Amino acid sequence: MLVHSALALTLVSSLAAPVLARSPHGAPAPHLRARAEASAPTASTHAQTSRVVAGAATTEAASATVTAAATKKAAAAEGSPLPLTQYTYAYSDVPYQVNPYKSIRGPQSGYNICNSTTAGDSSQCQTLIANDIQDFCLWGSSLTGDGLDTIGDIEAAVVAYCTTDKHGARVIKPGAITGVQVLKTPAYIQWTGFIDQTALHLTKDDTGGELDPHGADLQGNPLGGLVYSTGLPSGDNQTYLQAVEWNNFIGGGVFCLKLCDPAYYAKHGDQFFCQNKYDRIGCARNMPAAYRDGEFSVCDSELQDLVGVYTEDGQVKTYTQEPEGTVPNPPYTPRVPKSSNCKTYASTELWAAPTTSSASSMSTGQTSSSASSAGVTGHAAAASAGPSDSSKSTTGNGATFLVASSGFLALVAGAAVLLARL
Ligand SMILES: *[C@@H]1O[C@H](CO)[C@@H](O)[C@H](O)[C@H]1NC(C)=O
Ligand SMILES: *[C@@H]1O[C@H](CO)[C@@H](O)[C@H](O)[C@H]1NC(C)=O
């Protein structure tokens, strides 16, 4: 695996060096369960690439080409995919699979056309919809039944879990989400909150990681994952627009998801809020917000500071995440942007109450932020200490948050270091 990954990185970076600026945390990670037979990519993929380029164009004819190609059995596909962010589709033109191509990590594990026949517990839907506080999805493990993964194990193959069954995906069981804040800004729309992450088939103690449409090989995590919303700032509340750039952290019972509006970025090229290079410093610094467990709210918000940018003694500074293998130690407290026009909801106004079968583990979180199960205690700790006061981030609670929302194996070491400081 390591040899293959290193090879992939070398090949990919020679093809795509300009965009490969982020830390390739994916390189040594165990990417894709059951992807034992990785084949080396061929360097001579120009023919296939131009075919895909043509297919990725927005004309109906071209997308029909891609759809036809994509519906062929994935295993038969040859060639190499474009970077995931170069695949843009009208929602009605989404192909069966964006990435049916064999590569080190590919083809993608699931599919992009998701409908009533694919909805349910075994859905492999890899199109994520996030519209508003009531109606959004998060990425989670493709396991079923009692199976639990860590996000690091499954990042390449995560599938959509939604608050409704309307999107052909899995449904997040009632009561699992115990707090959410949606922030609407001119540049992005963002969800932050608290979840019993076993509802996403993730282990309770998974400190988690970051998902985005890039990854070391630019194929995204998940491979082929698409994201759409009717709620983007330039949207009309009805039409699904593609959020080509997005990112999502999940871990330690905390999640955050940000969808950047391509229309805003097209006008303000220096203001990009969906960076993925801060993938090990968690929700608090990537998506600063109130993080209150037990609260469900939608607010207008000012823009956050660009991730990593902070002001100290009147001076604007930029933090660079430490290289892989070094525990990140950002020297700043993230500024939580001012919010306004907040509307708060009871969770029962948004979703069904938990059913009795899951009530023993879920109802405490659903109805009270002071519930005492281990998961909810962890949530509360994260909420109180993480984002709002990182000067206390080396207290136990802060450590919980920082560890909770950062990524992958390095963080296991990071957890030890943070905890040792207490
Ligand atoms: C529903 O989704 C499946 C899986 O992507 C697809 O094969 C099927 O054609 C879809 N059905 C309709 C009516 O779009
Ligand atoms: C979308 O819906 C929200 C909430 O109902 C409303 O405030 C906003 O004005 C709507 N936007 C458009 C473009 O209709």
Side-chain angles (χ1 to χ4, degrees):
M1 274 314 269
L2 290 177
V3 172
H4 281 162
S5 296
L7 174 64
L9 274 176
T10 309
L11 290 175
V12 167
S13 55
S14 65
L15 292 170
V19 251
L20 196 68
R22 71 180 300 238
S23 68
H25 70 64
H31 286 300
L32 182 49
R33 195 161 20 79
R35 183 72 62 215
E37 296 298 320
S39 61
T42 58
S44 59
T45 52
H46 287 284
Q48 286 99 340
T49 303
S50 14
R51 175 170 56 76
V52 176
V53 172
T58 51
T59 69
E60 282 190 18
S63 63
T65 306
V66 156
T67 306
T71 46
K72 282 181 189 156
K73 195 85 186 111
E78 297 295 337
S80 152
L82 293 174
L84 177 56
T85 52
Q86 292 186 26
Y87 292 98
T88 59
Y89 307 95
Y91 185 65
S92 55
D93 290 340
V94 165
Y96 176 68
Q97 282 186 318
V98 169
N99 181 355
Y101 304 103
K102 268 188 174 175
S103 64
I104 294 290
R105 299 199 302 148
Q108 79 184 83
S109 56
Y111 40 77
N112 298 100
I113 295 179
C114 309
N115 54 40
S116 56
T117 65
T118 64
D121 290 346
S122 57
S123 178
Q124 300 291 328
C125 175
Q126 291 179 317
T127 298
L128 182 148
I129 305 291
N131 292 330
D132 56 33
I133 188 170
Q134 189 166 33
D135 179 6
F136 65 95
C137 311
L138 298 170
W139 297 117
S141 168
S142 57
L143 289 179
T144 55
D146 294 332
L148 298 174
D149 262 323
T150 67
I151 202 77
D153 284 338
I154 198 62
E155 60 172 356
V158 288
V159 298
Y161 287 70
C162 306
T163 57
T164 139
D165 64 3
K166 282 189 308 191
H167 303 306
R170 302 179 183 207
V171 175
I172 300 172
K173 67 186 172 195
I177 296 172
T178 58
V180 189
Q181 183 181 47
V182 176
L183 294 184
K184 297 180 173 182
T185 79
Y188 56 85
I189 178 169
Q190 172 182 292
W191 288 253
T192 55
F194 299 85
I195 187 169
D196 169 3
Q197 65 195 30
T198 62
L200 307 178
H201 286 99
L202 297 174
T203 61
K204 210 166 190 70
D205 62 353
D206 180 20
T207 55
E210 192 251 16
L211 303 160
D212 63 66
H214 299 273
D217 59 6
L218 307 179
Q219 294 180 26
N221 287 303
L223 270 75
L226 296 179
V227 174
Y228 287 83
S229 177
T230 59
L232 285 178
S234 66
D236 62 4
N237 285 352
Q238 288 188 338
T239 311
Y240 282 112
L241 298 182
Q242 185 177 355
V244 178
E245 293 283 1
W246 53 271
N247 63 344
N248 173 210
F249 288 76
I250 174 75
V254 176
F255 67 86
C256 52
L257 169 69
K258 181 159 54 185
L259 274 51
C260 283
D261 193 328
Y264 183 89
Y265 185 55
K267 278 195 210 134
H268 307 271
D270 57 339
Q271 292 186 49
F272 181 51
F273 294 94
C274 285
Q275 291 96 334
N276 59 4
K277 60 187 180 186
Y278 294 97
D279 57 351
R280 291 183 294 134
I281 60 171
C283 285
R285 288 187 175 78
N286 279 275
M287 304 187 210
Y291 291 91
R292 292 198 193 100
D293 201 3
E295 191 172 298
F296 300 82
S297 65
V298 180
C299 307
D300 294 330
S301 171
E302 287 183 342
L303 296 174
Q304 68 169 88
D305 292 332
L306 293 176
V307 182
V309 174
Y310 60 102
T311 304
E312 190 179 71
D313 303 328
Q315 251 192 305
V316 177
K317 300 183 175 178
T318 303
Y319 161 73
T320 304
Q321 182 177 274
E322 287 81 348
E324 203 73 19
T326 305
V327 178
N329 187 22
Y332 66 98
T333 304
R335 179 184 68 87
V336 176
K338 282 198 185 68
S339 56
S340 57
N341 299 325
C342 292
K343 285 186 201 127
T344 61
Y345 300 85
S347 65
T348 48
E349 291 177 81
L350 303 173
W351 310 300
T355 57
T356 42
S357 62
S358 60
S360 58
S361 59
M362 302 311 310
S363 65
T364 49
Q366 175 77 5
T367 54
S368 165
S369 59
S370 61
S372 60
S373 79
V376 176
T377 304
H379 293 174
S384 61
S388 56
D389 187 357
S390 75
S391 64
K392 288 184 181 153
S393 67
T394 51
T395 65
N397 290 347
T400 302
F401 186 85
L402 290 174
V403 172
S405 43
S406 302
F408 306 115
L409 300 180
L411 257 293
V412 176
V417 170
L418 282 169
L419 292 169
R421 284 208 212 131
L422 305 184

